[in-house]
Amino acid sequence: MRHAIVMIALVLLVAATGWTEGAKPVFYVGGGISMPMKPDAIGGLDGSEIGIKDMYKNGTHIGGGVGFQISPNVEIIGWVSYNSFAFDDDGFSQALEDEFIRLSGGMTGFTFDINTNGTKLELIEIMGDVKFTIPVGQQQAKFKPFILGGLGMTNAKQASTELEMHIVYPPLVDTTISETIPEQTETKLAFNIGAGFDYMVSPTVGIFADVRYAQVAVEGDPIGYLPIRAGLIFKLGQ
């Protein structure tokens, strides 16, 4: 959390510097979906084919930012974003069944039925990005493609979970395993890269859309995810 506070202070410092030098702020607000991508194998298990995409559904993404233009094609933006992923009971159950068949050499008949309560993965990002607008046509063109990238801190929080697993292999096995997994949270270094476009419908109002890949260096295997977002742009004093 101490690192997150430092990042917020740096973003505010950049904003204050831009304001005192006369740069006009640009505000962004938007949302979309976020797709889990990494790790490919949970728990770092060698040979496992069960990854984060089997555990979590596509999630929601909301956020906003403040940017300052430091040259005609370069902008520095401070972002704060929130991503939330619900646990995929059915997907994880099927992944466990498929993994057992694979590891057993084709042994079938087992079924895994997973039920959870409260399971959710939340990621809160504080990012400092550099956005480069790709020159296309005249400087005042409405359509402006861009690439961006940056560093920051992300808080990853796994909610407290009540897990119940029903395992059946007739007629030998019919059992239920229950477990409570405590809440886990950590704040770690993160980065993101992406591309998208702005479309200005007037000199002060526009829309943006982009796709980013973001990764958090949590303990063990890093968490990677793909936010796909769109939103509004507001330019003050233009």
Side-chain angles (χ1 to χ4, degrees):
M1 186 58 68
R2 182 172 54 191
H3 295 295
I5 293 173
V6 172
M7 282 301 301
I8 294 174
L10 288 174
V11 170
L12 292 176
L13 179 61
V14 170
T17 302
W19 188 270
T20 56
E21 292 180 355
K24 303 299 190 294
V26 182
F27 293 93
Y28 299 85
V29 60
I33 65 171
S34 202
M35 303 168 61
M37 302 295 290
K38 286 187 175 182
D40 297 322
I42 59 173
L45 298 175
D46 292 337
S48 172
E49 294 185 357
I50 301 177
I52 193 171
K53 290 184 284 187
D54 300 305
M55 296 179 63
Y56 293 99
K57 302 176 182 178
N58 290 341
T60 57
H61 171 94
I62 57 173
V66 181
F68 288 95
Q69 203 84 29
I70 60 174
S71 78
N73 294 318
V74 179
E75 184 179 347
I76 295 177
I77 309 175
W79 292 97
V80 178
S81 305
Y82 171 78
N83 304 269
S84 178
F85 305 89
F87 196 82
D88 188 350
D89 290 1
D90 294 337
F92 191 46
S93 298
Q94 186 62 53
L96 283 175
E97 188 173 332
D98 293 343
E99 183 74 349
F100 179 83
I101 293 172
R102 186 182 70 85
L103 294 176
S104 65
M107 184 177 176
T108 60
F110 265 92
T111 59
F112 297 83
D113 185 19
I114 307 291
N115 292 293
T116 58
N117 180 28
T119 307
K120 181 169 59 174
L121 174 63
E122 298 174 291
L123 303 170
I124 301 176
E125 312 169 24
I126 301 175
M127 290 284 183
D129 282 346
V130 177
K131 173 182 171 183
F132 176 73
T133 299
I134 301 170
V136 176
Q138 298 179 352
Q139 186 65 37
Q140 300 303 317
K142 292 184 176 181
F143 178 78
K144 299 181 179 182
F146 63 80
I147 57 175
L148 59 77
L151 296 172
M153 304 297 295
T154 294
N155 176 260
K157 177 181 176 182
Q158 172 66 66
S160 176
T161 303
E162 296 177 6
L163 184 146
E164 185 178 272
M165 180 186 299
H166 187 204
I167 307 172
V168 178
Y169 183 58
L172 301 176
V173 178
D174 188 343
T175 187
T176 299
I177 301 172
S178 298
E179 184 177 359
T180 299
I181 302 172
E183 178 183 301
Q184 303 176 55
T185 182
E186 52 184 319
T187 301
K188 296 292 183 179
L189 184 69
F191 75 88
N192 76 152
I193 55 174
F197 67 87
D198 296 336
Y199 185 83
M200 301 305 299
V201 297
S202 77
T204 58
V205 178
I207 59 175
F208 75 92
D210 64 21
V211 178
R212 297 183 298 130
Y213 174 76
Q215 185 166 298
V216 191
V218 295
E219 185 175 345
D221 293 324
I223 296 175
Y225 53 103
L226 193 75
I228 302 172
R229 62 186 182 181
L232 298 175
I233 307 168
F234 301 98
K235 294 186 176 183
L236 298 186
Q238 302 294 318

